[in-house]
């Protein structure tokens, strides 16, 4: 497949047209999408999360660590300085850095926030919760993933770019 060093999508207008067609008809036009994006759209559709489905709003404030796992708290504490550095590096573009567990649940978050409008908060970035997005795709494939604008199935993310890299332990698990 293409990798992270490849150029960005040649035509986001084509991805937007593919998204509009999928929202209207449910049909995925894989010819106009990058291969990992098309594969994520197919996975998401199988979960019942197509282009016409609206994701719950993103985490709108620094996410608390879920209780019940000392390992999660340790990972979140260790990742803290890296999340701050990543968020600072992307502050000009209102970037946010997240650490999730292997299921996509947010363990820690740093960076730009959206105004809290009282909407329900979705603390999970799994594909069956937010649709095609880099976090869910990276967890599903175990590989780097990136999505730009309308490559996300949820229109909520059409104004953003998402990038994700799964971290593997010594045994190779995420």
């Amino acid at each position: 497949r293409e990798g992270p060093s490849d150029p960005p999508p040649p035509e986001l207008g084509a991805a937007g047209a593919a998204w509009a067609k999928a929202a209207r008809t449910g049909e995925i036009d894989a010819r106009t999408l990058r291969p990992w994006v098309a594969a994520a759209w197919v996975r998401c559709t199988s979960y019942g999360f197509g282009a016409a489905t609206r994701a719950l709003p993103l985490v709108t404030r620094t996410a608390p660590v879920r209780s019940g796992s000392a390992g999660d708290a340790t990972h979140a504490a260790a990742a803290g300085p890296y999340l701050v550095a990543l968020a600072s590096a992307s502050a000009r573009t209102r970037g946010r850095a997240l650490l999730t567990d292997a299921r996509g649940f947010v363990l820690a978050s740093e960076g730009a926030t959206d105004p809290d409008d009282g909407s329900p908060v979705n603390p999970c970035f799994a594909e069956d919760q937010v649709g095609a997005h880099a976090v869910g795709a990276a967890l599903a494939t175990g590989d780097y993933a990136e999505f730009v604008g309308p490559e996300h199935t949820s229109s909520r993310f059409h104004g953003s770019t998402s990038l994700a890299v799964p971290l593997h332990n010594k045994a190779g698990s995420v």
Side-chain angles (χ1 to χ4, degrees):
R1 80 170 178 86
E2 296 174 277
S5 63
D6 292 317
E11 180 57 55
L12 286 179
W19 180 86
K21 180 179 182 179
R24 195 175 56 254
T25 68
E27 183 182 334
I28 298 170
D29 186 359
R31 297 168 300 148
T32 60
L33 300 169
R34 295 186 289 173
W36 64 89
V37 172
W41 284 25
V42 169
R43 281 192 306 272
C44 292
T45 301
S46 74
Y47 305 138
F49 201 117
T53 309
R54 179 157 159 58
L56 290 174
L58 293 176
V59 175
T60 57
R61 56 192 94 37
T62 299
V65 175
R66 290 181 298 110
S67 60
S69 171
D72 286 350
T74 300
H75 292 125
Y82 299 99
L83 296 176
V84 169
L86 287 167
S88 295
S90 63
R92 188 174 54 84
T93 58
R94 296 192 36 78
R96 180 178 14 229
L98 304 172
L99 175 69
T100 73
D101 65 11
R103 296 167 298 169
F105 285 96
V106 175
L107 301 177
S109 171
E110 290 290 341
T113 59
D114 296 326
D116 189 357
D117 63 1
S119 300
V121 173
N122 189 353
C124 184
F125 281 79
E127 289 181 328
D128 63 345
Q129 298 296 308
V130 298
H133 186 281
V135 174
L139 293 172
T141 65
D143 201 2
Y144 170 84
E146 67 183 27
F147 288 75
V148 180
E151 291 180 326
H152 298 91
T153 50
S154 173
S155 61
R156 169 121 174 107
F157 301 111
H158 284 189
S160 66
T161 297
S162 61
L163 312 163
V165 178
L167 303 177
H168 300 270
N169 64 20
K170 290 178 184 178
S173 305
V174 174

